[in-house]
Amino acid sequence: MTLLDAAPAPAPTRLVDLFEYGLDAPICLTWELTYACNLACVHCLSSSGRRDPRELSTEECKAVIDELERMQVFYVNIGGGEPTVRPDFFELVDYATAHHVGVKFSTNGVKISPDVARRLAKNDYLDIQISLDGATAEVNDYIRGPGSYDTAIRAMQNLADAGMTGFKLSVVCTRQNIGQLDEFKAIADRYGAQLRLTRLRPSGRGADVWDELHPTRDQQRELYDWLLAHGDQVLTGDSFFHLSAYGQALPGLNLCGAGRVVCLIDPVGDVYACPFAIHEDFLAGNVRSEGGFARVWRDSELFTRLRQPQSGGACSSCAFFDTCKGGCMAAKFFTGLPLDGPDPECVQGFGETALAKVKQDASSTPRSHVDHSHPVAARAMPGKVAISIGRRPGMSEGTGRIDLAAALEVKPNLFSGNAGMPVNDLADDPLADFRP
């Protein structure tokens, strides 16, 4: 699996063309501060759970922020893991905003108490995203773990009570929640939040549940029509540009910005082209190396190649290539499709044909080399077969699936505790497992 071959470079004529050739600094970047997390969401793109002892120190994080300020990066999207469980999280947020680097951070809400909410509401250079993947507890907790719905709702109530408006309700669209879009919008409106929808990718643990969770073709059309009707009120992070092949482009850039206008810094300082492509093939360097983040962004061989015009490959003859651009790089890569092939959710149906060929040889499908998952996680929606995540004890060799009976012998009742936290690991302190 290799990156696309570069095509001859025409002179850019539009703003979007300039973005394709890359900028001197990213408009924004995603920064995962820690792999530690109190939950074990089945679709976690970074396979988070346990803290990595190599993660950047407080002083190293501040040095990165200093670089971002010099590069005039507008803001960082901080995530994890659950970033708020880092003891220095608020120190780093305050340092960033004091140095003209705006912060947007994603959280499951576990630490958003009334006092914390009031503190956050005082910072005008800060935006918050509360993650919720079901408009009801039944749907959400199937994906994110028992109690996680109540935790998120409580966090939004605390933010609203503190006078914070315009924070985000962030939803990963799945087969289970596409029918709840209006309900999600109502929840966001109730707390003075803005709804943000993002695409499910087969990244991290998401690769294990992709076939079960990604929206059907009919649901893709339902989502597209809903976005057209509500596009001025709902954010998407440009994650649904592949849906533009239905005919009308959705609001936004409608292109893959990996290594051009966005990238990822992970908890140990590795820099990847895309938050959804944590794999050696998309690793550009490390902020601890000489020259720091700036040198990785400006001089890495990977980013230089990504900023060259890319061949449309098999999609170049499609009438919709100029609008969908062949779809998502990470979605193709982690389903085993070539990067110049169709998106696995191509709305014209070309992805399904390509996937049928790939599935004949599942061993060729790439997997991320990064996995900090808790030892075992399995859960089930009433009336459903349990979903399993990660390559854990009891997993059948070569299948990517867990033998549930064997897995539960290793660690039973993992999700019977508070807010989806693994009760066998946490004792009296619900965050004990995530402290340095």
Side-chain angles (χ1 to χ4, degrees), residues 113-311:
S113 64
D115 287 343
V116 168
R118 286 190 290 270
R119 175 179 177 178
L120 296 172
K122 295 177 181 178
N123 193 332
D124 294 332
Y125 214 34
L126 179 67
D127 193 16
I128 303 168
Q129 293 185 164
I130 304 295
S131 297
L132 192 72
D133 292 329
T136 59
E138 180 185 46
V139 174
N140 177 83
D141 292 3
Y142 174 60
I143 303 297
R144 303 184 65 83
S148 56
Y149 178 88
D150 291 339
T151 297
I153 293 296
R154 183 166 57 249
M156 286 190 285
Q157 183 65 65
N158 289 340
L159 290 172
D161 290 345
M164 193 169 209
T165 60
F167 61 90
K168 309 300 183 289
L169 168 57
S170 184
V171 177
V172 177
C173 292
T174 67
R175 190 171 301 180
Q176 285 72 23
N177 67 24
I178 288 292
Q180 297 184 322
L181 296 175
D182 287 335
E183 295 173 67
F184 280 123
K185 183 66 169 59
I187 292 173
D189 291 344
R190 183 185 314 151
Y191 296 104
Q194 185 173 18
L195 181 60
R196 184 177 187 270
L197 302 179
T198 59
R199 182 182 179 185
L200 174 72
R201 265 85 164 195
S203 306
R205 291 196 292 263
D208 294 326
V209 296
W210 168 258
D211 289 338
E212 299 162 78
L213 296 190
H214 81 91
T216 65
R217 184 187 291 198
D218 288 344
Q219 288 178 324
Q220 296 275 8
R221 182 69 203 213
E222 181 182 353
L223 172 61
Y224 172 74
D225 291 338
W226 195 90
L227 288 172
L228 285 181
H230 299 84
D232 59 337
Q233 307 167 45
V234 176
L235 301 176
T236 63
D238 291 315
S239 63
F240 297 109
F241 58 90
H242 70 293
L243 297 181
S244 296
Y246 278 124
Q248 182 177 338
L250 296 170
L253 289 179
N254 288 302
L255 67 85
C256 173
R260 296 164 171 152
V261 296
V262 299
C263 67
L264 166 76
I265 301 176
D266 84 346
V268 301
D270 283 337
V271 181
Y272 295 88
C274 168
F276 306 104
I278 302 176
H279 187 278
E280 295 99 325
D281 283 15
F282 301 99
L283 177 59
N286 189 285
V287 301
R288 285 172 165 146
S289 60
E290 184 178 357
F293 172 74
R295 175 167 290 185
V296 176
W297 177 261
R298 291 168 179 162
D299 299 333
S300 75
E301 179 184 350
L302 172 66
F303 288 175
T304 299
R305 277 185 285 147
L306 285 173
R307 290 162 190 167
Q308 299 299 314
Q310 307 296 324
S311 164

Side-chain angles (χ1 to χ4, degrees), residues 64-82:
V64 172
I65 293 168
D66 291 340
E67 275 197 273
L68 301 182
E69 180 184 21
R70 289 192 295 270
M71 296 173 72
Q72 298 183 323
V73 172
F74 293 156
Y75 65 91
V76 292
N77 290 306
I78 290 180
E82 171 52 45

Side-chain angles (χ1 to χ4, degrees), residues 316-372:
S316 59
S317 60
C318 177
F320 298 101
F321 177 70
D322 285 343
T323 52
C324 92
K325 301 293 184 183
C328 173
M329 178 179 73
K332 288 187 276 191
F333 183 78
F334 285 115
T335 51
L337 297 178
L339 298 185
D340 61 353
D343 188 287
E345 293 182 305
C346 168
V347 301
Q348 300 299 315
F350 299 121
E352 295 176 11
T353 302
L355 280 176
K357 298 178 181 178
V358 168
K359 288 182 178 180
Q360 295 175 5
D361 183 16
S363 63
S364 65
T365 304
R367 291 294 299 249
S368 174
H369 62 292
V370 175
D371 192 340
H372 291 77

Side-chain angles (χ1 to χ4, degrees), residues 8-19:
T13 57
R14 303 169 299 169
L15 181 61
V16 68
D17 295 326
L18 293 174
F19 288 161

